[in-house]
Amino acid sequence: MIQLLHGDCLTLMKEVEPGSVDLVLCDPPYSSGGTHAGDRKANTTAKYTDRDFDGAARLPAFSGDNMDQRSFTAFMRWVCSELRQKTREGGILEIFVDWRNLPAMTDAVQMAGWVWRGVIVWDKGTSRNQPGRFRNDCEYVVWCSNGDLPIDWKAAKGIKAMPGVYHVPMVNPKQRFHQTEKPVELLERLLAICPPGGTVLDAFMGSGSTGVAAVRTGRSFIGMELSDQYFEIASSRIREENERALEDF
Ligand SMILES: C[S@@+](CC[C@H](N)C(=O)[O-])C[C@H]1O[C@@H](n2cnc3c(N)ncnc32)[C@H](O)[C@@H]1O
């Protein structure tokens, strides 16, 4: 089952049945860029692309990325609270964030009632050059459960823990569908915590990378996106992936 919803995720949330989701895997706007509140006010093309026409600067900018830290915390708390209502007891939240807003995100998820369980590291393998300084070449996934997450040690015999660090290269800007696209390979690996055939929700799906990963791994998908252009791109990407999956079946 694939359900793609166009609009503001907070408005669209009413379309989703409470307790029906196994995994929320979301990549919201980071409201990042620069170290000062003023730097966050620039648009996403200025903040996240290299202005090279053939690179990600050719893709549409997106909104929702200009919040200061207080507003970001309040917004994420609100969204994560709605997302928790849609998730079954024992379901999982995985939410992307960068280093600047990592403390705000871990506050927001806990305020929304999730049990914060850890921070997964995505090593992108590259970042902007900062001579004489440490690179910021990782992004993070805050992961949580909706209530208890007991381990049944008997049933878990032979099952390995999943890695906490993923070394997956960024998508080449020239091949991207979205300015801040996440690699499908990374998303597929993050989906491993969702039961086979389970339901995945992405409230900020952008170009639909999580949906592509869900289709490839045989899960149901609910995706939401505000931008007209990115909603179109996500719809056609996911539709094509689904047609390929049906042909292979
Ligand atoms: C970081 S991008 C997601 C990129 C995606 N992971 C991909 O690989 O293409 C965040 C997306 O959230 C969308 N967005 C911003 N505010 C939103 C809202 N209130 N409801 C739904 N989508 C929103 C933006 O338009 C943007 O495309």
Side-chain angles (χ1 to χ4, degrees):
M1 193 270 298
I2 297 170
Q3 190 183 6
L4 303 182
L5 303 165
H6 184 194
D8 181 340
C9 62
L10 285 167
T11 311
L12 294 171
M13 219 62 92
K14 63 179 182 310
E15 309 281 330
V16 182
E17 202 182 312
S20 64
V21 172
D22 296 291
L23 169 67
V24 176
L25 175 48
C26 271
D27 176 25
Y30 286 179
S31 279
S32 191
T35 348
H36 307 287
D39 300 329
R40 295 183 182 183
K41 292 187 171 54
N43 75 21
T44 58
T45 305
K47 290 195 290 187
Y48 304 137
T49 74
D50 59 9
R51 294 178 186 80
D52 166 4
F53 181 73
D54 290 328
R58 81 198 133 78
L59 294 161
F62 55 92
S63 63
D65 202 87
N66 303 106
M67 297 179 206
D68 65 16
Q69 191 158 327
R70 200 176 48 181
S71 308
F72 179 84
T73 310
F75 177 67
M76 288 320 311
R77 182 228 183 269
W78 188 5
V79 172
C80 290
S81 178
E82 295 288 327
L83 289 169
R84 196 167 74 82
Q85 314 262 330
K86 307 302 173 187
T87 306
R88 68 168 164 80
E89 187 72 29
I92 302 292
L93 168 70
E94 296 176 328
I95 192 155
F96 279 88
V97 71
D98 80 346
W99 63 273
R100 294 180 185 85
N101 270 331
L102 180 57
M105 186 65 90
T106 57
D107 284 349
V109 293
Q110 292 176 89
M111 283 190 260
W114 291 91
V115 180
W116 175 30
R117 299 213 168 254
V119 177
I120 302 160
V121 177
W122 171 33
D123 169 13
K124 303 181 282 186
T126 188
S127 60
R128 278 194 186 140
N129 186 22
Q130 309 193 91
R133 301 188 189 175
F134 296 104
R135 280 188 175 274
N136 288 315
D137 45 11
C138 294
E139 292 181 27
Y140 306 94
V141 180
V142 173
W143 83 278
C144 312
S145 65
N146 185 16
D148 283 347
L149 198 59
I151 296 177
D152 178 347
W153 289 100
K154 234 175 170 176
K157 216 169 163 203
I159 298 176
K160 286 193 178 146
M162 274 127 13
V165 180
Y166 293 84
H167 308 277
V168 179
M170 289 197 316
V171 182
N172 181 331
K174 294 185 181 178
Q175 288 161 1
R176 280 187 205 170
F177 295 95
H178 193 284
Q179 287 187 334
T180 60
E181 188 174 324
K182 300 297 175 289
V184 173
E185 182 196 337
L186 172 69
L187 299 166
E188 280 186 44
R189 296 177 74 185
L190 294 173
L191 285 180
I193 198 161
C194 177
T199 298
V200 179
L201 167 61
D202 183 350
F204 302 91
M205 71 173 163
S207 65
S209 312
T210 309
V212 171
V215 171
R216 276 191 199 168
T217 60
R219 272 117 179 155
S220 291
F221 180 68
I222 304 169
M224 302 171 180
E225 171 56 43
L226 182 62
S227 143
D228 298 351
Q229 289 138 307
Y230 283 125
F231 184 78
E232 281 305 312
I233 293 170
S235 302
S236 64
R237 258 184 106 191
I238 295 167
R239 195 174 44 240
E240 280 168 25
E241 193 61 39
N242 200 36
E243 280 163 12
R244 258 194 297 275
L246 291 172
E247 277 167 23
D248 293 348
F249 187 64

